[in-house]
Structure formats: structure tokens, C-alpha cells
Amino acid sequence: NTVLREKSSQQTTEATTDPTNLAEQDPKIQLMQRYKKQKYLTISDFVQDVTTPLFRGAIYIDSVKYDPVQVLQGYQSTKFNITAHGDFNRILAYVKKLENIPALLSLDTISIIVGTNASDGVSLILAGTFYQLEDQNV
């Protein structure tokens, strides 16, 4: 029994350090590999695209901020914040576009603040996380 436990422990240790087995173990990496083809190689590519007039339509982006890339086992994550303002229907269309973008991201919090006057429109405050597989797992 002792020999079997040692071999089992050794196999578990090898599996966690072997990058080829990493994708087989981590459900996050499995999800990312099964997800639709990633359009963006980096967070800056993603931010550049979602702030262009073609993507955002008639809303106005006030600010975009993102944290440094967090490198985890087999993938990277980057938290980002976008603030914008415009017409409610156009803000809603922008959020829907973000949901359908060919990238793996989570929209963690979405706040829509209605202006006090009819001409004020609405403000969007969005916080999310952008995920990307590391090069060897793409």
C-alpha cells in the first residue's frame, strides 16, 4: 500500500507540473479551449477594438482602464473598467455587442445611471475580466 500511495502521489505531482496535462485538469482551460476562437491576442487589442466608432456606435467612451495581466496556470486574466454615456438603447446595444464578441470575458458588474434631465441620457459603468490562453495552450 505504501508503494502504491507513493506512485499515486508522484503521478499527481507530475501531472500538475507537466504543462501537457494542465489542460486536461483545469476546467477553466478546458472551457477556453472549447470556446469560440479567440479574436484578440492581448487586452490592448480587445480595448482598441471595443472603443472604435464602428463597434461602439453612437455612444461616447469616457474612460477605459485595465489592470496588469495576471498570469495563472495555463491562462491569463485581466480586469478592465469601461465608462461611457449616451442614449439608453445605444448603451444597451453596446453591452449586447460585448456579450457576443468572440473572446472569453466576463462582465462582472454593469451599472446604468439615468441622468436627471431627459437630455442627459444614461451613463454606463462596466467592470469585467478578459481571459486569454497562454501561447502553448492556444
Side-chain angles (χ1 to χ4, degrees):
N1 286 339
T2 306
V3 172
L4 290 175
R5 277 190 222 124
E6 287 176 6
K7 284 187 177 186
S8 175
S9 174
Q10 181 182 7
Q11 288 174 345
T12 304
T13 305
E14 289 173 359
T16 56
T17 57
D18 184 9
T20 59
N21 290 333
L22 185 61
E24 296 172 7
Q25 294 178 349
D26 192 343
K28 291 176 190 165
I29 293 176
Q30 290 175 357
L31 174 68
M32 285 186 264
Q33 286 177 331
R34 278 187 253 144
Y35 197 76
K36 52 190 161 185
K37 184 173 171 68
Q38 298 284 305
K39 181 177 180 180
Y40 308 104
L41 296 177
T42 64
I43 182 71
S44 58
D45 293 339
F46 165 74
V47 167
Q48 183 178 2
D49 190 37
V50 301
T51 57
T52 62
L54 182 62
F55 187 90
R56 65 178 165 79
I59 70 166
Y60 302 97
I61 303 292
D62 298 322
S63 70
V64 178
K65 298 176 185 173
Y66 55 90
D67 295 343
V69 175
Q70 298 293 316
V71 178
L72 304 165
Q73 275 195 326
Y75 68 98
Q76 302 169 351
S77 73
T78 309
K79 297 207 175 283
F80 65 90
N81 296 300
I82 298 173
T83 59
H85 69 277
D87 177 69
F88 177 78
N89 291 326
R90 292 182 177 156
I91 291 285
L92 187 60
Y94 180 74
V95 172
K96 285 181 181 181
K97 279 184 174 180
L98 284 174
E99 290 175 338
N100 294 321
I101 204 164
L104 187 59
L105 56 98
S106 62
L107 302 179
D108 303 324
T109 59
I110 300 172
S111 300
I112 295 178
I113 303 165
V114 179
T116 54
N117 299 326
S119 63
D120 287 346
V122 297
S123 295
L124 170 71
I125 302 170
L126 185 141
T129 307
F130 175 83
Y131 298 96
Q132 182 65 40
L133 287 172
E134 287 181 354
D135 293 338
Q136 73 267 16
N137 292 319
V138 175

